[in-house]
Amino acid sequence: MATYFVSQGRDEIPRWREAFSDARLIRTDDIKARLVRGDCVWVMVDSESWPEQVAELHRRGAQVGVMTYSPSAAEAFQALESGARGYVHALSPPELLRQARLVIMNQGIWVPPELMARVVGGAFQALGGAGRMRSDALAGLTERERAVALAVVEGYSNKEVARRLDITERTVKAHLGSVFRKLGVRDRMQLVLRLTSVPETALGAERGG
């Protein structure tokens, strides 16, 4: 599968070439003729139409990642909602960019750790929040595991969950790991989708078809 970098600017992003030596810098109009389903495409946030670009690439079967110089939870959620599977700082080390691509190409979601909790909370509310919650999905969890799971999907970090439930952060991680195993999910975003009865591709599919 090919790797492309889509940017409206003339300058390449620092470290991008080092991270992806096989990638091609290309403009939006040119990629349509080259794109093959399953290709990895990185879109730079350097134009107002980048969400539409991401949605179109997603519809055409690309695995899309978004790069930005100013990461924010709101922009990260917008990227995921448009169909991207990854959201990274453009100046991230090459090793991190390669790890992000690996996650994206394996159908995972990559968001900077410091933004993940807020993005998860935004996704939960956008998908219906507590009103869309599947009560049966929580049936196999202990009372403490349910409390941790609910706090996590509402957008609280492990440290915040620990403070709210008056337990240690290590205990939160242990409970969350147990929740993931019991519900058969890999991460917080999948947990949101599982608890709201929404298919895993929903963030991209509902907007991108």
Side-chain angles (χ1 to χ4, degrees):
M1 298 296 179
T3 298
Y4 297 102
F5 179 78
V6 178
S7 175
Q8 302 303 313
R10 295 181 178 180
D11 297 329
E12 294 190 12
I13 301 303
R15 302 177 181 169
W16 169 74
R17 182 66 68 181
E18 184 180 349
F20 310 120
S21 60
D22 60 335
R24 300 178 183 179
L25 179 64
I26 194 169
R27 289 188 175 276
T28 305
D29 293 339
D30 298 327
I31 196 172
K32 295 178 182 179
R34 295 175 178 268
L35 186 66
V36 175
R37 189 174 187 85
D39 284 345
C40 181
V41 182
W42 292 96
V43 175
M44 185 64 196
V45 178
D46 57 5
S47 73
E48 292 183 358
S49 63
W50 71 264
E52 289 74 22
Q53 295 172 19
V54 169
E56 174 64 19
L57 291 166
H58 169 71
R59 282 193 292 268
R60 294 170 65 89
Q63 303 299 326
V64 187
V66 171
M67 288 185 174
T68 181
Y69 279 118
S70 303
S72 70
E75 190 176 75
F77 179 68
Q78 186 177 19
L80 298 179
E81 188 182 32
S82 297
R85 299 199 72 90
Y87 178 80
V88 300
H89 196 300
L91 299 181
S92 297
E95 296 79 10
L96 188 147
L97 294 177
R98 286 192 288 267
Q99 186 177 358
R101 180 175 67 170
L102 179 63
V103 170
I104 291 170
M105 297 304 287
N106 283 281
Q107 305 300 307
I109 296 291
W110 180 279
V111 174
E114 63 273 18
L115 297 180
M116 178 56 82
R118 298 296 175 251
V119 171
V120 166
F124 180 61
Q125 294 303 320
L127 294 173
R132 186 74 179 268
M133 183 78 71
R134 280 182 54 189
S135 58
D136 62 305
L138 300 173
L141 305 181
T142 67
E143 182 178 353
R144 186 56 61 129
E145 287 170 350
R146 285 196 296 274
V148 169
L150 291 174
V152 163
V153 297
E154 287 175 359
Y156 293 100
S157 66
N158 288 352
K159 182 176 295 186
E160 290 169 331
V161 174
R163 190 179 302 118
R164 283 169 58 88
L165 299 181
D166 195 25
I167 56 179
T168 67
E169 192 171 347
R170 183 176 180 179
T171 300
V172 171
K173 292 179 180 179
H175 283 312
L176 192 56
S178 180
V179 170
F180 286 175
R181 287 192 299 273
K182 289 182 178 181
L183 298 184
V185 299
R186 295 190 302 267
D187 53 41
R188 292 169 183 247
M189 193 62 72
Q190 283 194 344
L191 178 61
V192 167
L193 300 178
R194 178 65 184 275
L195 294 184
T196 53
S197 306
V198 176
E200 184 178 345
T201 56
L203 286 179
E206 289 190 351
R207 171 68 65 88

